[in-house]
Amino acid sequence: MTNDHTATTTRAPVRIAHLGLGAFHRAHQAWYTHVANGASDEQWGIEAFSGRRTELVDALREQDFRYTLIVRDSDGESATRIDSIVAAAYGDDGARWRDVIADPAVALLTMTITEAGYALDVAVECDKNALVADDGAAMVTAPGRIVDGLRARSRAHAGPFAIVSCDNLPRNGVVTHDVVVSLAAQVDRGLAEWIERNVSFVSSVVDRITPGATPDDSSTALALAGHSDAIPVVTEPFSEWILSGEFPAGRPHWESGGARFVDNIEAFENRKLWLLNGAHSLLAYVGTLRGHDTVDEAMNDEWCRERVEQLWAEARDVIELNESELDAAVEALRARFANSSIRHLLLQIAADGSQKLPSRIVEVQRRRLAAGLPIGAAGALAIAAWLTHLRDHPEWVSDVRASGLHDQLIHSDGGAQVELILDLIAPDKSHGLSTAVSEALAELAPHRKDPS
Ligand code: CS2
C-alpha cells in the first residue's frame, strides 16, 4: 500500500489506523507504539488521519512523518524522535480511509475524536444519507467514517478488526459500539450484523497532559534531538494507558511502554475522569475567574488549591479503589498540576464544558446521592464557575453545544440561570443540585478577580 502520503524511507508497515491526528495522539498512542516497536521484532506502523488540524498532515509529510517528543518537568527535559507514524492523510480523503480500513494487514483503529465526536444524532443527520447513497463521498462525522470504513472492510473480506477509543468518556468502547452499530443498522442490517460478529470495541483510559507547543519548543527540539522540527510535541513524564477488550487481529506489545490490560475498567475510568479531569475543569473555570492563565498558576493560589483538594475528597468517596491506590493517584496529581515547565492553558481545558461536565462532575454527584452522601460543594462550585464563564465571558467560550446560552443567561435571573445550565448537563436534576449550585454562585462572587 503506497501513495504520496506515505514515508519515503523504509519504515514499519501500516498495521494501525488512527483517527484524530493531533498532539495528544503523538504524545500517547504513537509513543506507546514507538516503544513497542523498539522492544520487539514485530513492527507496527500507524497511518494517521487528521481531525480538525489538517495542516499537521502536510507538516508531518515534510519531516517524513518523524517528530520530536519533548518530555518536560521541573527537573529538566529530554527528547525522543518518534517514528511510529509512517503515513498521514486528510480526514476527508474518503477513498484513502476506506483503502486503509479495508486492508487485511491493518488490524486496528485507535481514535482521539474528543467527547463531542460520539454524538449519534449529529452523525445520523450528517452522514446517514451519504452512507445510503454509497457513492464514495467522504463522511463528515467520526461514526459515519467508521461505518463507511467497516463496510469497505466487510466487502473486502479483510477479517476481524479492533477499534480502540481513546477519549475521556466512561465506557468509551461501549459508547463507540452503540453509536457505530446503531448508525450501521439504519443503513444496512447485514452490515450491522457483520460488525457485531467481526469488530471488537475496546475501552481505554488514556492519560498524559499535553498542552499546545509554542515556537520556542522547535528550538528546544533542535537543541536536544539535533533535528529541526516545525511540529514538536511537549508533554509530561507521566503516562498511562489502561485497556479492556479483545484484539482479534493482533496488536503491538504496548505493555513495553507500561500499558495495562484489565477485565474491569470502570474504577480506573472513574479515577481518571473524576480526579484528574474533574479537577482540571474546576481549575479551568475558577482559575480563569481568579485571573490565572495556566494550571500550575491556579494550583499556586491557595483558594483554588483548597477547592481542588475538596473535589478530590468528594470524588474519592465514590471511587471503588483501595485507599492506597487513591492516595498515590492524588499525590501524583498534586505534582503533575504543579509542573510549571508545562504551560497548560486553562482556556484550552475550559472548551466544550457542556460535553465534559456531565461525566467529570455531575456523575460524581449522582453517585454520592445514590450512596446516601450529600452533594459535594466543590462539584457544585465547578458548575457555578462554568455558568459564570458562559454568562460573563463569551470571549472565552468555545463550546458549540452551549453557543446559545450566553444570551439566554444574561436575560435570566439567578435561579433561572441555574436551571438553564442544569437542563444541559444534568437534565435529571439530581436532588438538591440546583440549591447547591446557587449557593456556590454566592460563595464564588466575592472571590473573583476577573474583569467581571
Ligand atoms: C483536559 C484533558 O483538556 C481537557 O479537558 O482535562 O485533555 C487532560 O489534560 C488529559 O485527559 C490528560 O490525560
Side-chain angles (χ1 to χ4, degrees):
M1 196 166 58
T2 55
N3 78 347
D4 49 350
H5 287 308
T6 308
T8 52
T9 49
T10 306
R11 302 282 284 281
V14 174
R15 298 174 71 187
I16 300 175
H18 181 79
L19 180 58
L21 171 61
F24 184 74
H25 169 61
R26 295 191 294 141
H28 195 274
Q29 301 91 36
W31 175 80
Y32 279 92
T33 304
H34 172 89
V35 174
N37 285 344
S40 151
D41 292 338
E42 255 197 55
Q43 298 297 294
W44 290 75
I46 300 170
E47 174 145 351
F49 288 79
S50 59
R52 274 173 299 202
R53 291 200 52 197
T54 49
E55 67 276 16
L56 248 185
V57 173
D58 302 321
L60 272 172
R61 200 171 161 204
E62 291 291 314
Q63 307 185 176
D64 210 28
F65 305 98
R66 294 192 174 88
Y67 59 92
T68 308
L69 181 67
I70 301 169
V71 175
R72 194 174 272 164
D73 72 2
S74 22
D75 300 337
E77 53 192 3
S78 63
T80 312
R81 291 285 285 174
I82 304 293
D83 64 4
S84 52
I85 297 181
V86 300
Y90 302 131
D92 63 2
D93 185 345
R96 180 70 186 160
W97 168 257
R98 286 186 290 272
D99 279 355
V100 173
I101 303 296
D103 183 341
V106 174
L108 65 106
L109 165 72
T110 53
M111 53 183 196
T112 48
I113 55 173
T114 80
E115 291 89 334
Y118 294 78
L120 180 62
D121 50 344
V122 180
V124 170
E125 198 184 312
C126 296
D127 288 334
K128 190 185 146 198
N129 292 340
L131 284 164
V132 171
D134 195 10
D135 58 4
M139 301 299 139
V140 176
T141 68
R145 283 179 200 172
I146 295 170
V147 171
D148 190 32
L150 292 177
R151 177 164 62 186
R153 191 170 180 96
S154 76
R155 287 175 176 161
H157 303 289
F161 194 62
I163 299 184
V164 189
S165 170
C166 304
D167 288 290
N168 290 318
L169 279 181
R171 305 161 70 245
N172 51 21
V174 178
V175 173
T176 310
H177 164 275
D178 293 353
V179 167
V180 167
V181 172
S182 138
L183 180 59
Q186 295 181 51
V187 174
D188 172 355
R189 286 232 141 261
L191 175 61
E193 281 158 23
W194 184 89
I195 294 172
E196 292 282 21
R197 282 196 309 277
N198 289 280
V199 182
S200 166
F201 291 87
V202 177
S203 284
S204 86
V205 176
V206 293
D207 193 1
R208 195 164 208 187
I209 292 173
T210 308
T214 66
D216 284 351
D217 297 320
S218 287
S219 322
T220 308
L222 182 59
L224 290 178
H227 294 270
S228 71
D229 192 329
I231 44 159
V233 184
V234 178
T235 193
E236 60 172 345
F238 183 94
S239 182
E240 186 168 67
W241 199 5
I242 301 174
L243 303 100
S244 184
E246 302 301 315
F247 288 83
R251 60 167 174 83
H253 193 260
W254 287 320
E255 293 89 333
S256 304
R260 283 195 283 163
F261 291 80
V262 301
D263 291 331
N264 188 351
I265 201 164
E266 193 188 336
F268 299 103
E269 292 172 338
N270 294 344
R271 184 200 66 191
K272 160 76 195 323
L273 278 167
W274 298 350
L275 296 180
L276 188 149
N277 298 114
H280 255 176
S281 289
L282 171 63
L283 283 171
Y285 304 119
V286 295
T288 44
L289 293 172
R290 299 264 301 159
H292 305 301
D293 291 327
T294 60
V295 170
D296 67 295
E297 278 169 30
M299 280 302 272
N300 247 327
D301 172 343
E302 197 182 339
W303 192 85
C304 292
R305 197 172 57 244
E306 277 171 5
R307 266 113 205 122
V308 168
E309 291 286 347
Q310 192 183 345
L311 186 90
W312 284 335
E314 292 169 6
R316 285 181 64 145
D317 287 341
V318 285
I319 302 176
E320 287 173 6
L321 288 174
N322 63 43
E323 287 298 303
S324 61
E325 205 158 340
L326 291 169
D327 285 344
V330 165
E331 197 48 48
L333 284 176
R334 288 188 187 108
R336 294 171 67 194
F337 283 8
N339 181 353
S340 59
S341 55
I342 292 273
R343 271 187 63 77
H344 199 182
L345 294 177
L346 293 170
L347 285 182
Q348 181 185 335
I349 300 166
D352 291 332
S354 64
Q355 308 288 322
K356 293 174 176 175
L357 294 190
S359 52
R360 297 177 177 198
I361 301 288
V362 177
E363 187 58 24
V364 177
Q365 309 308 325
R366 271 194 205 106
R367 302 289 178 106
R368 289 182 62 84
L369 291 171
L373 297 165
I375 297 276
L381 177 67
I383 299 173
W386 179 57
L387 186 162
T388 310
H389 167 95
L390 292 171
R391 187 191 59 203
D392 297 351
H393 289 285
E395 73 284 8
W396 287 349
V397 177
S398 163
D399 188 338
V400 176
R401 291 220 157 188
S403 57
L405 264 186
H406 169 71
D407 284 344
Q408 288 177 275
L409 287 170
I410 55 173
H411 293 113
S412 310
D413 65 17
Q417 292 179 354
V418 173
E419 296 309 311
L420 272 173
I421 62 150
L422 290 184
D423 278 344
L424 197 60
I425 58 170
D428 56 330
K429 297 276 168 62
S430 299
H431 182 68
L433 195 51
S434 311
T435 313
V437 174
S438 297
E439 284 168 8
L441 274 172
E443 188 208 333
L444 176 63
H447 294 282
R448 288 174 64 177
K449 294 185 179 166
D450 59 317
S452 53

